Amino acid sequence: MEIWVNPACSKCRTALSTFDEAGVSYTVRRYLDDPPTAAELDAVLTRLGLDPWDIARTSEPAAEEAGLASLPRDAASRDRWLAALAAHPILIQRPIITADDGTTVVGRSPEALQEALDADSRTTAHE
């Protein structure tokens, strides 16, 4: 399991402690230090079934700098959204968790964290 985290984020710390308590093995990616590429973001969004604007933190000051408010939320602008998120990773919702079976969630709720744990237990059961 891989978890994209910002250590300053309380939701990220909650996810990490939840997985520690469950004894889950995971890899941490500090996505502000190691930003995902536009292609990586596109792959994650495909697994999530979401568009880039669905995971954008548009209230952040960097959103104005990136010009997100003026970007249309449509397929023609998708690549521009991906480029903006890759260039300004602070704008990405977190934590984003990808289980070994490919299940991906934005782990902001207990239900999303449980979905990741369930996916991990399914993968572990098959090993």
Side-chain angles (χ1 to χ4, degrees):
M1 183 174 319
E2 182 177 77
I3 307 172
W4 293 3
V5 301
N6 172 352
C9 169
S10 63
K11 299 285 186 184
C12 292
R13 291 191 305 272
T14 297
L16 294 174
S17 66
T18 298
F19 293 153
D20 287 343
E21 290 170 17
V24 172
S25 176
Y26 58 86
T27 301
V28 170
R29 179 173 182 175
R30 292 179 180 227
Y31 71 95
L32 297 178
D33 299 328
D34 180 16
T37 64
E40 287 176 306
L41 284 167
D42 192 39
V44 163
L45 287 162
T46 297
R47 289 193 304 271
L48 285 167
L50 298 174
D51 287 304
W53 46 87
D54 295 325
I55 65 160
R57 298 170 57 87
T58 55
S59 62
E60 292 283 331
E64 186 174 328
E65 177 185 326
L68 294 187
S70 64
L71 275 182
R73 296 178 179 210
D74 60 21
S77 300
R78 184 179 174 89
D79 287 343
R80 290 175 59 203
W81 277 89
L82 290 170
L85 291 176
H88 302 276
I90 192 72
L91 299 177
I92 301 169
Q93 280 290 1
R94 70 245 176 191
I96 294 180
I97 304 159
T98 301
D100 292 340
D101 72 352
T103 298
T104 304
V105 298
V106 179
R108 298 190 63 75
S109 69
E111 295 80 15
L113 295 177
Q114 188 59 54
E115 185 178 345
L117 287 171
D118 291 347
D120 183 72
S121 66
R122 287 191 302 271
T123 303
T124 308
H126 290 105
E127 291 178 353

